Amino acid sequence: MFKRPEPFFFEHSERVVILLHAYAGSANDVRMLARGLERADYSIYAPQFTGHGTGQPSDIVTQGSPEQWWQDTQAAISFVRQKGYTKISIFGLSLGGIFATKALADDSQLLGGGTFSSPIFPSAHSQVPAMFMQLSQQQLVRAGQSSTEQTTQLAALKPAMLAQLHAIEQFTATQVRPQLSQLTRPFFIGQGGQDELIDATVAQQLRQHLLAQQVPVDYHWYATAGHVITVNIAHHQLEQDVLKYLKTIYE
């Protein structure tokens, strides 16, 4: 039985951290990190991008888009502000990092934030399409689809997914990278050195770009970790590194 992941809001102190999840992921991507930050008396909000968390990967393609997910990000920030919070930071894993970065460039009232394994610069070799198709096939198997039905549905899904990934790249190229010059506050970057989905060196490119424009960068390279550093072998160290960073921006 599929248990649908849900957004969550852990309310504690006046200091709020928004955590955005990855492509084809859910709020569960960041739950472990959220619990660690919660123990340190931060309030944590983890929304869920449109089309995600339904158990149907095709919903991501049919319901979602970079423009919709940017609206979701803005809605998340508005949600915590409407609850009366003003001390807000925002981070994102992979896809989520693209929108966290845009939010930080757009909104000078946010105190800070950053990215975890996020392709702000183009990735020379992306395994995201293969990962998405594997997830989709697993879902069809769970749903009891025959191998013929699986083949038909996956063949229809693949071009739409590739078009969506291209749209994400275009959104990043036109709506995010040109805005990096708007960043002034300290920026957190975490990256696994053994990233199996994107080119890990994109994190180094982002660091160099920001340092060149005099932005303070809190950079962390987890040499033996894969892509999802919020849950893999890097997660304990990531939690400690994020907490140290948060202390500097919430002083």
Side-chain angles (χ1 to χ4, degrees):
M1 183 71 182
F2 174 72
K3 185 176 185 299
R4 187 167 178 155
E6 299 289 346
F8 56 84
F9 192 20
F10 304 149
E11 292 191 79
H12 284 267
S13 70
E14 62 185 3
R15 304 169 302 174
V16 178
V17 181
I18 297 172
L19 298 176
L20 305 177
H21 67 77
Y23 185 68
S26 71
N28 287 348
D29 292 348
V30 295
R31 185 178 291 272
M32 194 181 296
L33 175 60
R35 288 297 187 192
L37 303 183
E38 179 193 21
R39 286 192 292 271
D41 200 32
Y42 289 91
S43 294
I44 314 296
Y45 181 46
Q48 212 147 259
F49 289 130
T50 299
H52 288 73
T54 68
Q56 302 284 346
S58 58
D59 288 346
I60 297 167
V61 175
T62 58
Q63 298 175 19
S65 69
E67 292 75 19
Q68 178 58 53
W69 300 327
W70 171 234
Q71 287 181 30
D72 295 341
T73 302
Q74 293 173 293
I77 297 167
S78 296
F79 172 76
V80 294
R81 284 187 172 142
Q82 286 164 9
K83 284 186 164 283
Y85 294 98
T86 58
K87 298 178 179 177
I88 305 166
S89 60
I90 186 166
F91 299 80
L93 170 67
S94 200
L95 174 75
I98 293 170
F99 299 105
T101 301
K102 180 165 171 59
L104 290 163
D106 269 15
D107 191 335
S108 61
Q109 292 180 298
L110 295 169
L111 297 183
T115 62
F116 313 134
S117 306
S118 191
I120 303 299
F121 283 83
S123 178
H125 51 267
S126 172
Q127 295 301 316
V128 175
M131 174 274 295
F132 186 90
M133 297 309 292
Q134 186 178 1
L135 284 177
S136 301
Q137 183 168 25
Q138 289 168 357
Q139 166 56 31
L140 294 175
V141 170
R142 282 196 297 272
Q145 301 275 9
S146 70
S147 58
T148 305
E149 290 169 326
Q150 289 175 39
T151 301
T152 303
Q153 291 194 41
L154 293 172
L157 182 59
K158 187 172 183 178
M161 174 269 296
L162 291 173
Q164 185 171 74
L165 291 175
H166 179 69
I168 294 167
E169 289 174 9
Q170 289 300 109
F171 183 91
T172 309
T174 59
Q175 303 290 317
V176 183
R177 284 203 297 278
Q179 287 188 298
L180 292 176
S181 59
Q182 305 296 316
L183 295 171
T184 56
R185 287 140 296 165
F187 192 92
F188 186 98
I189 301 173
Q191 175 64 52
Q194 302 299 315
D195 197 315
E196 69 282 10
L197 292 185
I198 65 169
D199 181 353
T201 63
V202 297
Q204 296 163 359
Q205 290 181 60
L206 178 59
R207 177 195 192 193
Q208 290 160 2
H209 186 96
L210 294 179
L211 288 174
Q213 62 185 49
Q214 311 300 311
V215 175
V217 177
D218 191 356
Y219 180 78
H220 299 275
W221 179 261
Y222 307 102
T224 59
H227 185 69
V228 189
I229 56 175
T230 52
V231 299
N232 65 23
I233 57 171
H235 82 267
H236 285 300
Q237 190 58 53
L238 175 69
E239 179 186 312
Q240 294 307 309
D241 293 336
V242 171
L243 283 171
K244 283 180 193 169
Y245 168 82
L246 291 174
K247 282 181 183 173
T248 68
I249 64 167
Y250 283 103
E251 280 177 350

